[in-house]
């Protein structure tokens, strides 16, 4: 990551959630913050702002700890919020808190305890407000490129597969406002699925730690552009003319490349 970031002269880094395994952070003094973040990403080229979303594993710990300014004081690179917007010169990034959408964490949590204390005043209202805010922000956005980032998959052939709640509630908003990319983690793989009906691309980058070998379901080859069941990461290079996507293995080898210029006229 350090070598690729240096060559690309990156501006910032995005984490797609599940920032701390297996059960988030216990508090702002949890040593896992150093063990899994501060002491890991030490390359000079990675000393940039990190924008982080929460994953389901993060919700198993103290959520407020990850959102706390105390962590920013420990490491100024760290920034984590539930849902927020990053507006750059060329692209607007819409970060979405996807974990509360998933019913199973509420109806069948198994042995896990989730920290839902921040879903104010209740889950239904929280999600309704989140979707209304996203819909409004996308509607007024003048950005050349609109990119939505969340932890959970919308479309995936990996272990978790499609997140049906996001398909039903979030996807229509993205399609209605011409979102270009949805970037997620959750499935421990690298993956690129292209929508068959819009220009929207589903990009999974969830292979930063453990990966799930051979855990893949069949998918329409016209939509499945790339799937890798090993470890790695991805980059986005954004200009006014195009967005270039690249996936890398752990040694920095290029596994897959794609550009918005590859879209057909009908998709655009």
């Amino acid at each position: 990551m350090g070598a690729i970031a240096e060559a690309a002269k990156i501006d910032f880094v995005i984490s797609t959630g599940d920032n701390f395994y297996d059960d988030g952070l216990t508090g702002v003094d949890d040593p896992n913050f150093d063990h899994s973040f501060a002491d890991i990403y030490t390359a000079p080229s990675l000393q940039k702002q990190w924008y982080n979303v929460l994953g389901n594993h993060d919700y198993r710990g103290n959520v407020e700890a990850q959102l706390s300014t105390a962590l920013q004081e420990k490491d100024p690179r760290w920034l984590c919020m539930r849902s927020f917007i990053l507006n750059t010169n060329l692209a607007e990034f819409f970060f979405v808190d996807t974990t509360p959408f998933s019913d199973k964490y509420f109806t069948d949590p198994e042995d896990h305890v989730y920290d839902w204390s921040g879903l104010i005043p209740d889950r239904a209202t929280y999600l309704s407000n989140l979707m209304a805010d996203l819909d409004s922000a996308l509607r007024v956005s003048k950005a050349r490129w609109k990119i939505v980032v969340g932890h959970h998959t919308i479309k995936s052939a990996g272990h978790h597969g499609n997140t049906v709640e996001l398909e039903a509630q979030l996807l229509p908003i993205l399609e209605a406002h011409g979102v270009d990319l949805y970037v997620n983690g959750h499935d421990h793989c690298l993956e690129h699925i292209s929508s068959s009906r819009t220009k929207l691309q589903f990009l999974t980058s969830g292979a930063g730690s453990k990966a799930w070998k051979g855990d893949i379901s069949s998918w329409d080859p016209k939509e499945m552009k790339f799937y890798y069941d090993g470890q790695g990461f991805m980059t986005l290079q954004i200009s006014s003319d195009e967005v270039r996507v690249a996936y890398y293995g752990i040694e920095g080898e290029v596994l897959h490349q794609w550009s918005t210029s590859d879209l057909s006229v009908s998709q655009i």
Side-chain angles (χ1 to χ4, degrees):
M1 285 181 67
I4 297 300
E6 182 177 3
K9 296 180 172 59
I10 66 167
D11 295 298
F12 53 87
V13 183
I14 289 173
S15 171
T16 55
D18 280 359
N19 305 310
F20 303 100
Y21 264 78
D22 277 326
D23 299 313
L25 295 179
T26 57
V28 296
D29 294 320
D30 190 330
N32 205 23
F33 180 74
D34 294 323
H35 297 164
S36 294
F37 177 68
D39 294 343
I40 296 296
Y41 302 103
T42 56
S45 59
L46 299 177
Q47 306 309 302
K48 302 286 187 176
Q49 185 68 65
W50 284 59
Y51 297 100
N52 305 274
V53 291
L54 296 167
N56 52 296
H57 283 266
D58 300 311
Y59 263 97
R60 296 179 189 175
N62 184 332
V63 171
E64 290 301 321
Q66 291 199 43
L67 308 180
S68 172
T69 56
L71 293 187
Q72 297 173 36
E73 293 170 2
K74 286 187 174 184
D75 192 322
R77 294 178 296 170
W78 180 265
L79 178 65
C80 184
M81 293 183 279
R82 294 182 187 273
S83 296
F84 60 101
I85 297 173
L86 171 63
N87 196 349
T88 70
N89 291 331
L90 295 172
E92 201 161 6
F93 292 80
F94 304 82
F95 294 81
V96 178
D97 183 17
T98 60
T99 301
F101 281 90
S102 184
D103 292 334
K104 68 180 181 181
Y105 303 133
F106 295 86
T107 60
D108 186 22
E110 299 177 332
D111 296 328
H112 307 300
V113 177
Y114 292 88
D115 177 8
W116 303 125
S117 59
L119 304 191
I120 299 172
D122 54 62
R123 180 194 179 201
T125 306
Y126 178 85
L127 291 176
S128 177
N129 291 340
L130 186 161
M131 289 186 288
D133 290 346
L134 178 63
D135 182 70
S136 176
L138 285 169
R139 182 181 299 109
V140 301
S141 175
K142 304 298 183 184
R144 172 67 180 88
W145 306 105
K146 298 177 185 179
I147 301 170
V148 175
V149 180
H151 174 65
H152 288 75
T153 61
I154 294 181
K155 303 284 189 182
S156 175
H159 175 79
H160 292 297
N162 297 356
T163 304
V164 294
E165 296 89 349
L166 295 185
E167 283 188 290
Q169 299 175 70
L170 194 64
L171 181 56
I173 298 174
L174 308 192
E175 291 180 333
H177 298 297
V179 168
D180 298 283
L181 309 176
Y182 177 73
V183 182
N184 62 271
H186 200 43
D187 267 339
H188 294 205
C189 63
L190 302 175
E191 181 179 26
H192 174 196
I193 292 176
S194 182
S195 172
S196 59
R197 61 190 186 193
T198 71
K199 64 180 180 178
L200 181 57
Q201 307 298 306
F202 303 95
L203 307 176
T204 297
S205 182
S209 186
K210 64 180 179 181
W212 294 330
K213 283 287 186 181
D215 199 345
I216 177 175
S217 301
S218 60
W219 200 277
D220 184 348
K222 294 180 181 179
E223 294 184 348
M224 180 61 72
K225 304 302 180 184
F226 167 71
Y227 190 96
Y228 179 66
D229 59 357
Q231 295 160 314
F233 57 98
M234 63 173 286
T235 61
L236 298 176
Q237 286 187 298
I238 302 173
S239 70
S240 58
D241 296 324
E242 66 175 351
V243 177
R244 298 192 63 84
V245 179
Y247 285 89
Y248 302 86
I250 59 173
E251 299 297 333
E253 68 277 23
V254 177
L255 302 173
H256 172 67
Q257 295 185 87
W258 179 87
S259 168
T260 51
S261 61
D262 296 334
L263 289 169
S264 66
V265 175
S266 61
Q267 286 176 299
I268 298 172

